[in-house]
Amino acid sequence: MTLRSEAADLLPDLVALRRDLHRVPEIGLHLPRTQERVLTALDGLPLELSLGKNLSSITGVLRGGKPGGTVLLRGDMDALPVTEASGEEFSSTHDGAMHACGHDLHTAGLVGAARLLAARRDELAGDVVFMFQPGEEGWDGAGHMIEEGVLTASGKHVDAAYGLHVSAASYAKGHFVARPGTLMAASGALEVRVLGDGGHGSSPHDARDPIPAACEMVTALQTMVTRTFDVFDPVVITVGQFHAGTRRNIIPDDAKFEATLRSFSPEVAARVGERAVQVCRGIAQAHGLDIEVAYEPEYPATVNDAAAYDFVADTIRDVFGEERFTEMADPITGSEDFSRVLERVPGAYLFLGACPTDPESAPDNHSPRARFDDSVLGDGAALLAELAVRRLGLLAG
């Protein structure tokens, strides 16, 4: 039997696992119930398992029957602080938490790959590391797992790494999408607090009003993008939070806002935060106000190794057919902490359409109404397993 046909046989179990995980989403680095459920799903497999010290991670090592290299496969496990409105009968039972980004599918798919590869253990020319990771959604779980040794869990450094992300919209169900080079953006967080002196709204000249200055900063940051950075090396800045005041006729003491900054090259990622801070400081000074401003780099850009991308694309076309794969024209502005792994290991990341309806109109990842068709789990698991088997074969020569 082929890995794809074996994965089809596993599909009912993988769907059941995915839906169990969906009902009990957990956020951040500590996912005790998720970790317990995954360990139960892995029980009986010939894996060397280790748990994270400072996070609820699981690392599994499958020793192949023949000597060779090491391939890492990754699935993230955490949910989002979103109240579910999908209408699924297996919707979240945890208020304010939802698997709105499909990480429940990623986890179930990686369990499927582990089962497929364990059944072929004797044929593997090397080892496979399974990276079950918490804290992708802004917690840098990949960075924590790297610090705790996931890249050397087999006793030697990983030679190649692969990951897969499902999409609730944009791509047709079962369709694989990727590109060589930069796939996803680098991200950073800008936090600003403008400090003035409050007063009566009827007498702004007797106060130091922080709101107009903060508003000016928001618009100036957009002008900064177009006047500082090359349009062919783009930057995206979005202010997602803005808080000030308690009543319409009261000038507050301060105004706060937070922004996300996205970029695609290391050069721009290194400059954009510093420049944003300068803009905000300059405007505060011009208004005679004080300011607290900080920029924190988050994830680097997710960059697919060119040779690894070609290998993934060729594998998909061979296993699933030409019609199931498309090369993306442009990167996307979302960010991903699997970039930490790809900074250190040649590998590739790709997307799998899991939209149950029209991908052009369906709610996308992170929406409270996002829905994912879990019938794609078999093919996702089969692809991860195929990549491991084939790459180990190439490494063995």
Side-chain angles (χ1 to χ4, degrees):
M1 294 178 69
T2 65
L3 283 167
R4 187 178 177 188
S5 62
E6 291 173 26
D9 291 341
L10 291 178
L11 183 59
D13 285 347
L14 300 183
V15 169
L17 171 60
R18 178 259 164 155
R19 295 184 180 189
D20 283 351
L21 295 170
H22 193 90
R23 291 185 182 98
V24 288
E26 296 175 295
I27 297 167
L29 295 172
H30 301 288
L31 321 175
R33 295 183 66 178
T34 302
Q35 184 186 57
E36 180 182 8
R37 183 65 182 89
V38 173
L39 287 171
T40 299
L42 296 173
D43 189 43
L45 298 181
L47 301 178
E48 299 171 11
L49 296 174
S50 59
L51 307 184
K53 298 180 179 65
N54 297 308
L55 69 168
S56 299
S57 62
I58 303 170
T59 300
V61 178
L62 178 67
R63 301 290 182 186
K66 304 171 186 177
T70 304
V71 170
L72 180 145
L73 304 175
R74 180 267 209 158
D76 40 3
M77 304 190 294
D78 58 319
L80 284 159
V82 171
T83 298
E84 183 158 4
S86 70
E88 298 282 23
E89 59 89 13
F90 50 87
S91 288
S92 170
T93 59
H94 290 184
D95 290 342
M98 176 189 175
H99 272 295
C101 203
H103 295 188
D104 49 340
L105 280 84
H106 302 169
T107 304
L110 188 57
V111 168
R115 291 180 180 176
L116 293 169
L117 291 168
R120 297 179 176 232
R121 178 185 185 185
D122 292 343
E123 304 167 27
L124 295 179
D127 304 328
V128 182
V129 175
F130 300 94
M131 179 181 177
F132 290 93
Q133 179 209 308
E136 188 279 327
E137 297 288 358
W139 300 83
D140 198 11
H144 288 285
M145 288 192 73
I146 290 170
E147 288 178 5
E148 292 194 358
V150 69
L151 299 183
T152 54
S154 71
K156 53 189 175 183
H157 202 277
V158 167
D159 297 295
Y162 305 100
L164 181 152
H165 201 303
V166 294
S167 295
S170 302
Y171 313 124
K173 181 178 71 176
H175 202 78
F176 296 97
V177 183
R179 73 188 306 272
T182 302
L183 178 76
M184 302 178 73
S187 64
L190 180 71
E191 297 184 5
V192 179
R193 181 183 178 211
V194 183
L195 301 107
D197 291 310
H200 200 289
S202 66
S203 305
H205 58 286
D206 291 328
R208 290 193 307 153
D209 191 347
I211 292 180
C215 292
E216 188 174 329
M217 292 173 196
V218 171
T219 56
L221 287 170
Q222 303 304 323
T223 303
M224 178 201 80
V225 168
T226 62
R227 296 299 181 269
T228 306
F229 298 99
D230 188 336
V231 67
F232 297 107
D233 193 355
V235 170
V236 174
I237 297 180
T238 294
V239 175
Q241 292 189 46
F242 193 111
H243 304 283
T246 57
R247 190 174 172 84
R248 66 179 180 274
N249 64 343
I250 300 173
I251 294 172
D253 275 341
D254 65 3
K256 306 174 187 177
F257 67 89
E258 296 184 14
T260 184
L261 282 64
R262 307 296 170 111
S263 55
F264 295 92
S265 70
E267 296 78 18
V268 170
R271 291 175 53 215
V272 65
E274 179 183 357
R275 185 68 181 124
V277 168
Q278 290 174 348
V279 166
C280 293
R281 287 195 187 280
I283 292 172
Q285 183 179 19
H287 284 263
L289 300 170
D290 297 319
I291 188 171
E292 297 172 356
V293 55
Y295 175 75
E296 184 68 29
E298 294 172 323
Y299 300 155
T302 303
V303 180
N304 283 339
D305 176 81
Y309 164 81
D310 288 340
F311 166 70
V312 168
D314 290 344
T315 301
I316 293 169
R317 293 183 180 114
D318 183 44
V319 175
F320 300 100
E322 287 277 350
E323 71 281 0
R324 293 278 298 275
F325 180 76
T326 299
E327 181 174 313
M328 299 165 62
D330 301 303
I332 66 170
T333 48
S335 59
E336 164 62 61
D337 72 352
F338 192 61
S339 57
R340 302 280 193 209
V341 176
L342 295 182
E343 277 188 320
R344 296 163 173 83
V345 181
Y349 199 60
L350 67 151
F351 298 99
L352 170 60
C355 180
T357 56
D358 178 8
E360 297 300 319
S361 59
D364 209 343
N365 294 36
H366 287 222
S367 166
R369 292 169 295 282
R371 295 172 60 234
F372 300 86
D373 191 325
D374 45 25
S375 68
V376 304
L377 278 170
D379 283 352
L383 176 62
L384 290 174
E386 283 280 3
L387 292 173
V389 170
R390 296 183 183 211
R391 187 70 183 113
L392 288 174
L394 291 172
L395 288 167

